[in-house]
Amino acid sequence: MGRNHGLVTNLIVGIVGAVIGGFIANALGFAWGGWIGSTIVATIGAIILLFLLGLIKRRA
């Protein structure tokens, strides 16, 4: 997404993104199993989180 963050920020975004992705996937009824499904869900969650943070930062 073109952000220049440090290691700690990337870890936090990844963890929070995984939680957000898991919540959204469960709410929509997706049941992807295994590490591949979890990785996809976590990646989508992190992208959504970075997008939302970009919107908030742009308004501030």
Side-chain angles (χ1 to χ4, degrees):
M1 303 250 353
R3 306 287 193 262
N4 188 15
H5 299 293
L7 177 64
V8 174
T9 305
N10 285 335
L11 289 172
I12 292 170
V13 168
I15 292 169
V16 174
V19 171
I20 291 171
F23 178 76
I24 291 172
N26 285 334
L28 295 175
F30 291 113
W32 294 334
W35 68 271
I36 294 174
S38 298
T39 302
I40 292 170
V41 168
T43 302
I44 292 170
I47 290 170
I48 291 170
L49 177 61
L50 287 172
F51 176 74
L52 292 175
L53 289 175
L55 288 177
I56 292 170
K57 190 173 182 179
R58 196 176 312 159
R59 288 186 180 190

